């Protein structure tokens, strides 16, 4: 079983891991661990400690206002490794007892992209989606100056520029590769990540893309497009450092994630403290909280385990929106076609970390990027998530996170959504379909009433 091992080493080791100018290896942090095959290729990741914002806060609660401290006396360090599946419970107990620096051992499940079940052709095309979101452009909201991270299989800018008939910008300096991935930002093979980038640029054509090919991890799972959650932890640590360098008055980072965990076989059971699917304290779920608290808008695909047409990999017997895909600080995005009908593969709630998931739906199953060939739709909640991320990036081009905090923007998107299904929130559509005219009306009224002016 693959695991993340969270440690509290000496202060100077924590400082070396947290400082990007220094180099600390797994050997420096963990040495050797009997019964664990440590991954020496994985660069240790510093994890900030959640601290109550007020002096009388509960140090054990994650459901209160928090700040995140990377001070050496607070931060912990993650390394990853593998233990034998047989008698894993006793091995974990012995490991924790033998190394007092270990403060937690968590699951490192396989994560995979979210394509859809085949068969149906596209419903409309990307120009139809653009028309549904057109009021953003009428108000000059185009993503200018906004960093839009696509955490997926990598981006191919040549293909994007050809399909869109205009240049596409990737910020190579702020992009990030998992260990062992040597491709250059914007120059990866045309695949799922290129589709996601195309769909995000429909609403935010002038956004600057950050290429985070986390699913190209060399630590492969059972399929080609699968990686480990530990690489996503490292990627989010990088994005947190990117966000921290931005001026407060221009702080904006949108992170689109069209992937998730499909099987409980890769996870500890829900009662285990290292569980990912149901545990807000898992290191990756904490990193999502830290990134959102710092000002990032984080969006996740709800997944393709809908009851009408589930993906063949779906192995959760119920409540398939798991882990960060159901995070209360992230937008979980379901899928509808360009006619506003829910697609049958879009995962239904309740979510596991937050029962009110998905949050909203966005458009999918349209002809767009041609990443998988002519006539093949951009499909799955994999397409819906970046479409919604593009809308968020477009809004951020004039309303920074300093003006409208991520939590406020999530609420705005929820309450302006076009209600479908049962009245109010339901587990098929969430609060409804993303509704750009209503979003713009709410933003204009907000500015007129002095509740947060534009940047």
């Amino acid at each position: 079983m693959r695991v993340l091992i969270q440690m509290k080493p000496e202060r100077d080791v924590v400082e070396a891991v947290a400082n990007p100018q220094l180099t600390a290896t797994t050997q420096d942090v963990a040495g050797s661990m009997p019964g664990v095959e440590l991954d020496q290729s994985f660069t240790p990741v510093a994890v900030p400690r959640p601290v109550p914002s007020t002096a009388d806060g509960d140090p054990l609660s994650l459901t209160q206002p928090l700040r995140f401290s990377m001070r050496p006396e607070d931060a912990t360090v993650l390394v990853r490794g593998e233990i034998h599946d047989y008698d894993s419970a006793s091995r974990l107990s012995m490991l924790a007892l033998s190394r007092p620096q270990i403060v937690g051992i968590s699951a490192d499940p396989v994560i995979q992209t979210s394509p859809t079940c085949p068969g149906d052709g596209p419903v409309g095309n990307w120009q139809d989606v653009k028309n549904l979101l057109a009021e953003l452009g009428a108000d000059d909201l185009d993503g200018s100056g906004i960093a839009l991270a696509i955490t997926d299989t990598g981006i191919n800018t040549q293909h994007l520029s050809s399909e869109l008939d205009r240049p596409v910008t990737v910020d190579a300096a702020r992009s990030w590769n998992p260990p062992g991935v040597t491709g250059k930002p914007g120059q990866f093979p045309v695949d799922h990540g290129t589709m996601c980038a195309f769909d995000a640029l429909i609403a935010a054509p002038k956004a600057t893309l950050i290429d985070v090919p986390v699913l190209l991890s060399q630590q492969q799972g059972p399929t080609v497009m699968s990686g480990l959650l530990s690489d996503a932890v490292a990627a989010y640590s990088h994005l947190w450092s990117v966000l921290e360098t931005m001026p407060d008055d221009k702080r904006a980072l949108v992170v689109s994630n069209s992937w998730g965990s499909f099987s409980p076989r890769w996870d500890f059971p829900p009662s285990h403290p290292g569980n990912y699917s149901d545990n807000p304290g898992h290191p990756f779920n904490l990193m999502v909280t830290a990134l959102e608290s710092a000002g990032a808008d984080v969006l996740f695909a709800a997944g393709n385990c809908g009851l009408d047409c589930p993906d063949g990999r779906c192995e959760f017997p119920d409540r398939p929106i798991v882990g960060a895909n159901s995070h209360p600080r992230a937008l979980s995005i379901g899928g509808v076609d360009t006619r506003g009908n829910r697609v049958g593969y879009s995962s239904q709630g309740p979510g596991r970390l937050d029962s009110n998931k998905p949050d909203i739906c966005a458009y999918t199953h349209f002809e767009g990027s041609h990443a998988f060939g002519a006539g093949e739709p951009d499909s799955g909640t994999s397409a819906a998530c970046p479409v919604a991320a593009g809308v968020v990036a477009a809004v951020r081009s004039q309303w920074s996170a300093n003006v409208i905090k991520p939590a406020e923007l999530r609420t705005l998107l929820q309450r302006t959504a076009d209600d479908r299904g049962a009245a109010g929130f339901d587990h098929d559509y969430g609060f409804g379909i993303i509704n750009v005219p209503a979003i713009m009306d709410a933003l204009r009224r907000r500015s007129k009433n002095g509740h947060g002016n534009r940047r």
Side-chain angles (χ1 to χ4, degrees), residues 129-144 199-205 363 386-399 409 412-413 434-441 443-444 454:
V129 177
K130 183 178 180 181
N131 291 337
L132 289 164
L133 310 177
E135 195 164 337
L136 292 166
D139 221 45
D140 295 326
L141 302 183
D142 55 13
S144 295
D199 296 340
L201 293 173
I202 295 174
Y363 301 106
V387 166
V391 172
V392 173
V395 170
R396 287 295 183 207
S397 60
Q398 293 196 30
W399 280 276
L409 186 53
L412 187 149
L413 294 175
I434 197 164
N435 186 341
V436 164
I439 293 169
M440 293 309 306
D441 182 61
L443 289 171
R444 291 177 189 126
R454 300 184 181 190

Side-chain angles (χ1 to χ4, degrees), residues 321-343:
I321 309 178
V322 308
N325 301 70
S326 64
H327 201 291
R329 300 284 195 98
L331 277 168
S332 179
I333 308 298
V336 295
D337 64 26
T338 55
R339 299 168 185 163
N341 298 316
R342 177 185 162 271
V343 290

Side-chain angles (χ1 to χ4, degrees), residues 137-227:
D139 221 45
D140 295 326
L141 302 183
D142 55 13
S144 295
I146 301 305
L148 175 53
I150 305 294
T151 63
D152 210 272
T153 63
I155 300 168
N156 187 292
T157 53
Q158 183 176 359
H159 180 87
L160 292 174
S161 296
S162 175
E163 292 292 329
L164 294 167
D165 196 28
R166 57 177 175 76
V168 172
T169 303
V170 168
D171 188 336
R174 295 194 289 185
S175 296
W176 178 91
N177 282 3
V181 176
T182 58
K184 295 182 179 179
Q187 298 181 32
F188 290 97
V190 177
D191 212 315
H192 192 268
T194 300
M195 179 197 80
C196 293
F198 180 98
D199 296 340
L201 293 173
I202 295 174
K206 294 186 179 180
T208 298
L209 300 176
I210 295 180
D211 198 355
V212 186
V214 68
L215 295 176
L216 294 186
S217 167
Q218 298 302 298
Q219 295 291 323
Q220 294 295 335
T223 67
V224 174
M225 288 196 302
S226 62

